[in-house]
Amino acid sequence: MNTIERARLREILRAFRGRNVAVFGDLMLDRYVWGSVDRISPEAPVPVLDVRQESARFGGAANVAENVVSLGGRALLVGAVGEDDDGRELLSLLHGTGVDASRVVTVAGRRTTTKTRLIAHSQQLVRADREDAGEIGPPHDAAIQKGLLSAIEGCDVLVISDYGKGVVTRASLAVAVSSALAQGKLVCVDPKESHFRSYNGVTAITPNQKEAGGAVGVRITDGESLTRVGWELQRMLDAQCVVITRGEQGMALFLKGGEQVHLPTFAREVFDVTGAGDTVVSVLALALAAGATMVEAAIISNHAAGIVIREVGTASTTTGAIERSFADLEGGNRGTSRQP
């Protein structure tokens, strides 16, 4: 099976609407400076960017939340920003999308994580980062935990978007995972290697190949090492499913119970993989909350990722775009392989 019956797909996508998704993690502001390059600077051997446009987009957990809303769900966002212009702009942008950011904590003296990318002719020239990535202190961590408990109580599924920027601490992770599981909520994680042991018992975890291999100390270089890493992670975390994202090679699923599933990529063109992991975890979570099986949810999220990587910079998608992606694939011959 490399697709889903049209009626079943529509049933799942319709059920996205109104699902409550608690999103906990590192919020980022992504700035883009767009222009063209026609000459090299006489001051140094670097290109001169003739700036034509500037824009700001969501990054990290903020991008996950925006993806949820664009797909018809309701996002309850928990995290932190600095008491600075970037933090205020990020909160303003979130307000404009309809994301519930009432549980986002403002931290005085902390810089909001901001990534500025200079783009010429659809190619990234350089990225400049401004951030304070140290762990959030106890007073603010306590406020985040309070927000977490409130968001989890009102959600269908919890998404943890862990970029290792200091907002997702071991203490807050323990509160998030234990509270959600105790209430029978689904938990989907886009992980950071340093916190893998804290994700025990989650519904689904979506590391890329590098993160998955690093977590178990084995570099993924072929099918054999991929299988070894996937099952070792699944056993280590006792997760319902480990989803290893593999870029142009698609996804590999390792399901509790012993089933292994490989999904090919559905991307026809790749311009920029920035934010693709955010799309995968947000769509996976919504699909599971909508009643999809794990394999159905992964297939849908794989299509969604194939849509957003056609654009430069972080992007979101819609249920209509996902349905069109499935329609475009009909008649193709790329299959899903299953292994016992």
Side-chain angles (χ1 to χ4, degrees):
M1 180 181 73
N2 70 325
T3 189
I4 301 172
E5 292 283 342
R6 182 65 65 87
R8 174 60 176 159
L9 174 65
R10 285 176 176 164
E11 177 187 4
I12 295 169
L13 294 179
R14 279 198 302 267
F16 280 13
R17 186 157 298 280
R19 297 293 173 181
N20 292 315
V21 182
V23 180
F24 167 47
D26 298 292
L27 280 63
M28 304 180 198
L29 183 66
D30 284 1
R31 293 195 182 282
Y32 292 86
V33 180
W34 310 85
S36 60
V37 172
D38 299 309
R39 60 194 177 97
I40 300 299
S41 171
E43 302 164 358
V46 295
V48 175
L49 180 68
D50 181 12
V51 177
R52 305 292 174 83
Q53 183 182 354
E54 297 185 37
S55 60
R57 301 181 185 177
F58 302 111
N63 190 36
V64 174
E66 200 273 338
N67 268 270
V68 168
V69 170
S70 72
L71 290 161
R74 180 169 178 251
L76 314 174
L77 185 58
V78 184
V81 296
E83 194 175 31
D84 54 13
D85 289 342
D86 291 332
R88 285 184 282 273
E89 182 175 0
L90 181 52
L91 289 175
S92 177
L93 289 170
L94 285 167
H95 179 73
T97 66
V99 170
D100 181 351
S102 61
R103 299 169 183 83
V104 174
V105 176
T106 298
V107 182
R110 186 181 180 89
R111 291 183 297 176
T112 302
T113 296
T114 304
K115 300 177 180 180
T116 302
R117 297 173 175 89
L118 273 61
I119 310 288
H121 313 291
S122 298
Q123 297 292 321
Q124 186 175 154
L125 301 179
V126 68
R127 191 182 92 185
D129 292 1
R130 291 191 296 272
E131 64 182 6
D132 293 324
E135 282 204 350
I136 293 287
H140 298 105
D141 199 24
I144 286 171
Q145 290 175 34
K146 182 179 178 181
L148 268 171
L149 293 173
S150 168
I152 290 168
E153 185 176 353
C155 79
D156 299 301
V157 56
L158 168 66
V159 173
I160 300 172
S161 178
D162 189 355
Y163 274 80
K165 303 300 183 182
V167 172
V168 182
T169 65
R170 292 190 187 279
S172 58
L173 263 178
V175 168
V177 174
S178 62
S179 298
L181 294 179
Q183 295 177 51
K185 305 296 175 73
L186 299 164
V187 181
C188 298
V189 181
D190 188 1
K192 195 66 179 176
E193 289 174 37
S194 58
H195 286 155
F196 262 93
R197 295 286 179 180
S198 298
Y199 307 132
N200 191 62
V202 301
T203 309
I205 187 166
T206 62
N208 61 34
Q209 283 197 150
K210 182 177 181 296
E211 292 164 339
V216 299
V218 176
R219 185 166 173 261
I220 296 176
T221 57
D222 53 21
E224 183 179 349
S225 55
L226 172 67
T227 297
R228 177 184 171 189
V229 168
W231 287 122
E232 193 164 336
L233 261 183
Q234 193 282 319
R235 286 190 293 268
M236 181 176 83
L237 300 179
D238 193 31
Q240 294 299 313
C241 185
V242 171
V243 181
I244 299 180
T245 58
R246 309 183 65 212
E248 69 277 2
Q249 294 177 289
M251 294 179 176
L253 280 63
F254 300 86
L255 291 100
K256 191 172 184 176
E259 187 176 18
Q260 182 174 338
V261 180
H262 291 271
L263 301 176
T265 183
F266 297 125
R268 293 187 298 275
E269 297 174 296
V270 179
F271 284 104
D272 190 351
V273 298
T274 304
D278 302 333
T279 298
V280 168
V281 75
S282 57
V283 176
L284 188 79
L286 269 172
L288 291 173
T293 68
M294 189 65 72
V295 175
E296 286 173 335
I299 291 171
I300 295 170
S301 66
N302 201 16
H303 272 273
I307 294 166
V308 299
I309 63 176
R310 297 175 204 164
E311 300 184 33
V312 178
T314 54
S316 58
T317 187
T318 64
T319 54
I322 292 172
E323 194 167 347
R324 287 191 295 273
S325 177
F326 274 82
D328 290 345
L329 186 69
E330 287 182 359
N333 199 30
R334 289 179 291 180
T336 297
S337 62
R338 291 175 178 259
Q339 300 176 24

